[in-house]
Amino acid sequence: MPAPALFDRLAVLADAARGRVLLLLEDQEMAVSELCQVLQQPQSTVSRQLKALSDGGWLASWREGTSNLYRMAGGLDPAAAELWRLVRGEVAALPAARQDRQRRAAVLRARRARSREFFAESAGEWDRLRRELFGARAEAVPLLGLLDPAWTLGDLGCGTGATAELLAPFVDRVIAVDESDEMLAAAGARLAGLPGAELRRGALEALPVADGELDAAVLMLVLHHLPDPAAVLAEAARALGPGGRLLVVDMLAHDRVRFREEMGHQWLGFEPDRLERWLAVAGFAAVRVAPLAADPEARGPALFAATAARPAAARAAHDSQTSDVEPERTSAERSAGAPA
């Protein structure tokens, strides 16, 4: 550091009161009003000290709402850091600085008490407030960070790619499969530019996926559209490697017959024991079917989530003659970055 700059730093810290301020802000951001309480000084005095410290490069500040918050600047150069180390020891030994620490602890306790009061008053409304602030998916989507980032994950029956879009940032590769050209076109537009997102056209009963290519697979609200769910589950087992995981989200059994006519549903939901049998026949183990909590704003039937795993030492049964033919791809797949 050039000598004049060092002398400037010395001039700022020559005042013990400014040293006390810097000691308070060394590991904690504080507002001006809080510093006034701790230092027992008027706002005009505290503001002058903060300005001198800020101009001297000792403080960082930012605005939150109606308050300016201050904290000791990070990344001090070696000379400034050494200067503060020397001055700090002298300032910390002052009786006034010891009292500052006690008053600061009281101010921080009061800050936490205000937070507790807010939660006590808002407990009944907290879920609604959080949805308004952060959206309905703020809790669920970040949990995808628990996925193994090395996985190749299959979104089977991807539709417009909504699920693949959520999964892609958290795994190495997402292979999104659908039989509908229109759905793949929509998914291609949605997934364009997402690294690791790949579209493949094919039927779920004959997946365009190699044996054991997937580490995990998702069937998200698609099984009830298919005439032979058992065959689809068996095909998913073939595409999963040993230890691979399957997640099926679908409707519990219901009596809304109009769904067949209006939306082409093949099945009016599923009884858990029937799904468990299909998964067992397909070679899955560790099967678990759990009803999902109903969304009060949803108008459809109740949902379940079924999880299952391929045994670690087993491989799906398959034809020993594998095809070298590249799966058929659409222009939408190419636009999403799928290999040609």
Side-chain angles (χ1 to χ4, degrees), residues 34 71 87 121 173 227 251 307 325 327:
E34 292 175 324
R71 186 168 183 148
V87 172
E121 295 171 357
R173 191 162 57 121
M251 297 177 293
T307 54
V325 178

Side-chain angles (χ1 to χ4, degrees), residues 81-330:
E82 178 64 16
L83 174 59
W84 171 240
R85 186 186 69 79
L86 295 172
V87 172
R88 186 189 187 285
E90 297 294 324
V91 173
L94 295 173
R98 290 196 291 270
Q99 294 181 20
D100 291 343
R101 288 194 292 273
Q102 293 174 353
R103 285 191 290 266
R104 188 184 76 162
V107 166
L108 296 179
R109 284 196 299 271
R111 187 193 288 180
R112 288 191 290 270
R114 289 194 297 273
S115 178
R116 287 195 297 270
E117 289 171 6
F118 166 78
F119 285 114
E121 295 171 357
S122 305
E125 296 292 316
W126 178 235
D127 289 343
R128 179 186 61 80
L129 289 170
R130 188 150 54 179
R131 281 196 304 272
E132 290 179 357
L133 288 171
F134 308 114
R137 300 190 301 180
E139 294 175 344
V141 172
L143 296 179
L144 296 174
L146 296 171
L147 294 173
D148 190 323
W151 272 1
T152 294
L153 198 149
D155 182 8
L156 311 182
C158 66
T160 60
T163 300
E165 182 183 30
L166 292 176
L167 295 169
F170 298 98
V171 295
D172 182 58
R173 191 162 57 121
V174 172
I175 299 173
V177 179
D178 208 282
E179 193 172 12
S180 164
D181 288 332
E182 292 76 14
M183 288 292 188
L184 286 173
R190 185 177 220 142
L191 301 176
L194 272 178
E198 178 181 339
L199 297 180
R200 297 185 185 178
R201 182 181 180 278
L204 300 191
E205 297 86 350
L207 290 169
V209 177
D211 296 343
E213 185 175 359
L214 304 178
D215 298 293
V218 176
L219 284 160
M220 182 68 68
L221 292 172
V222 67
L223 211 59
H224 60 268
H225 284 290
L226 304 170
D228 191 353
V232 173
L233 295 174
E235 182 67 355
R238 178 196 63 77
L240 286 165
R245 305 286 301 178
L246 177 69
L247 169 65
V248 179
V249 176
D250 219 299
M251 297 177 293
L252 290 166
H254 62 87
D255 58 1
R256 304 190 192 187
V257 180
R258 62 185 178 84
F259 282 18
R260 291 188 191 273
E261 302 167 358
E262 297 175 2
M263 290 177 276
H265 290 193
Q266 300 288 314
W267 296 80
L268 297 181
F270 302 96
E271 295 288 353
D273 58 350
R274 168 179 275 173
L275 191 65
E276 290 171 359
R277 287 196 301 272
W278 284 340
L279 288 166
V281 170
F284 286 100
V287 176
R288 181 183 180 190
V289 181
L292 297 179
D295 185 333
E297 298 180 4
R299 296 181 296 173
L303 302 178
F304 67 84
T307 54
R310 293 286 291 138
R315 293 190 180 275
H318 61 275
D319 188 346
S320 60
Q321 299 297 323
T322 57
S323 173
D324 293 328
V325 178
E326 178 70 16
E328 181 183 354
R329 303 181 186 243
T330 67

Side-chain angles (χ1 to χ4, degrees), residues 33-48:
S33 59
E34 292 175 324
L35 287 167
C36 291
Q37 293 179 55
V38 172
L39 297 166
Q40 297 185 327
Q41 295 176 354
Q43 182 173 333
S44 57
T45 301
V46 172
S47 294
R48 283 197 302 272

